[in-house]
Amino acid sequence: MKEINEKFIEQLQQLIDAKDEVQVLVLIRDLHPADIAELVSDLHTDEALFILKLLDDETAADVLIELDEDQRHDLLEEMPNESIARKLEMMDANDAVDVIQELDEEDRDEIIKQIDDVEQAGDIVDLLQYGEDTAGGHMSTEMIVVNENLSMPDCIKAMRAQAEDMDEIYNVYVVDDDNRLKGIFPLKKTITNPSASKIKHVMEPDPISVRTDTPIDDVALDFEKYDLVAMPVVDSIGRLVGRITVDDIMDEVREQSERDYQLASGLSGDVETDDSILRQVTARLPWLMIGLVGGILNALILDGGDSNLLQILPGMALFIPMIGGTGGNVGTQSSAIVVQGLANGSLDIRHAGKHLLKEIWVATLNAVIISAIVFAYNSIFPADDDPVKAHITTIAVTASLFCVILFASVFGSFVPIMLEKMKIDPAIATGPFVTVTNDIVGMIIYMTISSWLIGFLPTII
């Protein structure tokens, strides 16, 4: 297999510039569609289109499926609808839906009308009615289905007829006369029970299935829980309408992980390294503005508190970054654990109170240890030459740090739980939102405790 490196890409670009179709095909003919997609992603749009036009429709369709959504959208915008329609005919219906959803509604209708395969066009139209984040929106209608009353010879005959148009066969689904899902027929049964009178006598009844309106996140959890490679999808009355395969789920899990990571990093939109400067700025700027507002509020808190506070205890200023930073880090840790638990199913939203109680105990222990370390440090290296002021600063920093860690842990756990209940992506809680909030609250706690200590000990000062 050819190695795709800079030299290879440079050679390919030279051949494209020379419009040498024969040599371009020679160069890429042994590449897997996924490798061609990787190659296309490194080329300009016009160069990528040149390659796609040289490929047969089936290979070009596979390449389009493998491309990143943004790159695919750019190419589709430049391709004639007739060409897109031919390639959609080569795809599984669920993959075709993923592709066509990236176009505007007018182009969708025009492309579907140009699909010669009426059955494929009908499947695409049927799948488009389901939400993108549901099982129906990710299922494929290509599957092998047999009636429960078929004999073994008739079953094998039906399976052979349907298998001709299938790329992979994971399961054979068994239905009744009303197309209701009744069971799964393992292919092994054709060998171990060749004389079975009817399929329903040897099928595995009551298979794990999902409804068309099941959220895709829940479907992914079922795949992981039951170690599945495929799962049947049924409608509201139990009729078999499609199947979801593990590769569909893996793509969704990867995309969800990317979205969560970007939210946690303070990116308000999907952005790639090769996106335009304007797109990257618009994706980053909103959370940076929130951070700026948080910084201004912190400045107002310092300015609006006791005007003599930092003059009386100048050593306090040394610990302002530590108070804010610790609160932000603790809050991010707590929220990340909750978000992860919600994502993998290890945290049930119904038992959120139990988790919050556990988090309080964890936070208390962490607060005691960290506060004790800071207290010991300040005792050895006082923040002020005046022993009384140094002592007050030590108490203020230690007490504030304890309270900040406790608050940040509970707040960091509480926010994603509430967002989950409100049907908002809880991953947003691991980003700047929690960090900025904890920074502001931490500063309020620090200033309040310090002011209280100075007011409580006026005769000493």
Side-chain angles (χ1 to χ4, degrees):
M1 181 176 291
K2 297 182 178 71
E3 180 183 357
I4 299 177
N5 49 34
E6 291 185 7
K7 183 178 180 180
F8 182 92
I9 296 174
E10 183 179 346
Q11 181 184 1
L12 181 63
Q13 288 176 319
Q14 290 174 353
L15 292 173
I16 293 175
D17 291 339
K19 307 297 181 183
D20 192 338
E21 298 181 0
V22 175
Q23 290 304 315
V24 169
L25 279 174
V26 169
L27 203 59
I28 66 174
R29 65 185 176 188
D30 295 329
L31 294 178
H32 188 277
D35 293 323
I36 298 178
E38 181 182 347
L39 181 63
V40 164
S41 65
D42 292 326
L43 301 176
H44 298 299
T45 301
D46 56 341
E47 295 172 333
L49 288 171
F50 184 88
I51 289 180
L52 288 178
K53 290 177 182 178
L54 296 181
L55 300 174
D56 60 85
D57 288 331
E58 184 175 359
T59 304
D62 291 337
V63 171
L64 285 174
I65 294 171
E66 297 290 342
L67 283 173
D68 177 83
E69 288 183 8
D70 292 334
Q71 296 166 341
R72 183 166 60 219
H73 179 269
D74 292 341
L75 290 175
L76 292 175
E77 287 291 315
E78 301 296 328
M79 294 172 61
N81 289 341
E82 182 182 356
S83 176
I84 297 174
R86 292 199 308 270
K87 291 166 180 57
L88 293 182
E89 289 186 25
M90 301 294 130
M91 301 180 187
D92 290 341
N94 60 325
D95 290 328
V97 169
D98 290 340
V99 172
I100 203 171
Q101 280 178 333
E102 298 171 17
L103 302 172
D104 58 54
E105 192 169 345
E106 183 178 347
D107 284 334
R108 290 184 198 175
D109 295 338
E110 181 64 28
I111 290 170
I112 291 174
K113 290 178 182 177
Q114 295 190 37
I115 296 177
D116 294 331
D117 188 336
V118 178
E119 184 177 353
Q120 173 79 337
D123 289 341
I124 293 174
V125 171
D126 291 340
L127 292 178
L128 282 171
Q129 67 180 306
Y130 300 110
E132 292 185 47
D133 296 326
T134 65
H138 287 265
M139 71 181 183
S140 171
T141 55
E142 291 86 4
M143 54 187 170
I144 296 182
V145 184
V146 296
N147 189 280
E148 63 179 345
N149 293 313
L150 289 179
S151 64
M152 184 64 75
D154 290 337
C155 174
I156 294 176
K157 185 178 179 180
M159 288 163 51
R160 284 175 176 169
Q162 298 177 58
E164 291 180 0
D165 298 325
M166 298 282 293
D167 292 328
E168 298 97 8
I169 301 174
Y170 296 109
N171 292 307
V172 176
Y173 299 109
V174 183
V175 298
D176 61 13
D177 293 335
D178 295 319
N179 203 44
R180 288 187 174 90
L181 180 65
K182 306 301 292 185
I184 290 178
F185 178 69
L187 296 178
K188 179 181 177 182
K189 296 289 186 179
T190 60
I191 300 174
T192 57
N193 294 275
S195 60
S197 59
K198 290 185 178 181
I199 296 303
K200 63 182 179 182
H201 296 151
V202 293
M203 71 178 184
E204 295 180 0
D206 303 321
I208 299 169
S209 63
V210 291
R211 286 180 35 159
T212 53
D213 58 353
T214 302
I216 195 64
D217 292 343
D218 294 342
V219 178
L221 292 177
D222 284 342
F223 266 81
E224 180 182 10
K225 180 178 180 179
Y226 299 110
D227 294 326
L228 301 175
V229 293
M231 182 186 294
V233 183
V234 299
D235 62 13
S236 58
I237 59 175
R239 292 176 300 188
L240 180 65
V241 293
R243 64 165 184 168
I244 295 179
T245 57
V246 67
D247 57 323
D248 299 322
I249 290 299
M250 290 305 297
D251 289 341
E252 177 60 27
V253 169
R254 176 183 58 79
E255 291 175 6
Q256 182 63 46
S257 297
E258 290 177 353
R259 288 195 296 267
D260 288 350
Y261 181 79
Q262 291 185 335
L263 279 175
S265 302
L267 297 173
S268 59
D270 187 16
V271 62
E272 302 289 343
T273 55
D274 57 352
D275 283 340
S276 66
I277 293 176
L278 180 60
R279 180 171 176 80
Q280 294 205 30
V281 169
T282 54
R284 299 183 188 188
L285 192 58
W287 281 115
L288 293 178
M289 294 298 293
I290 292 176
L292 176 63
V293 172
I296 293 174
L297 289 176
N298 269 334
L300 293 175
I301 292 170
L302 289 172
D303 185 57
D306 189 338
S307 59
N308 296 321
L309 189 58
L310 292 179
Q311 294 180 4
I312 296 172
L313 298 176
M316 280 183 56
L318 300 175
F319 299 96
I320 289 176
M322 183 187 70
I323 295 292
T326 302
N329 290 336
V330 171
T332 300
Q333 285 182 343
S334 299
S335 59
I337 292 173
V338 173
V339 170
Q340 182 182 17
L342 293 171
N344 61 29
S346 62
L347 174 59
D348 192 332
I349 195 72
R350 295 171 296 179
H351 303 148
K354 182 179 179 181
H355 174 80
L356 287 175
L357 182 61
K358 182 178 181 181
E359 185 65 28
I360 290 174
W361 282 106
V362 172
T364 301
L365 183 58
N366 284 335
V368 168
I369 294 173
I370 293 177
S371 298
I373 293 174
V374 172
F375 181 85
Y377 173 83
N378 281 339
S379 298
I380 299 172
F381 305 102
D384 199 295
D385 293 334
D386 186 323
V388 175
K389 293 182 179 180
H391 187 61
I392 294 176
T393 300
T394 298
I395 296 174
V397 172
T398 303
S400 299
L401 200 56
F402 183 92
C403 295
V404 166
I405 292 174
L406 203 59
F407 170 82
S409 293
V410 175
F411 183 74
S413 298
F414 178 76
V415 170
I417 291 173
M418 290 305 300
L419 291 175
E420 177 73 10
K421 287 187 175 182
M422 296 167 62
K423 306 301 181 183
I424 300 174
D425 193 338
I428 196 174
T430 59
F433 174 70
V434 165
T435 303
V436 171
T437 303
N438 284 329
D439 195 15
I440 294 172
V441 173
M443 189 57 56
I444 293 173
I445 291 173
Y446 188 34
M447 299 298 290
T448 301
I449 291 178
S450 300
S451 298
W452 180 79
L453 284 173
I454 291 176
F456 185 68
L457 301 170
T459 54
I460 299 179
I461 303 301

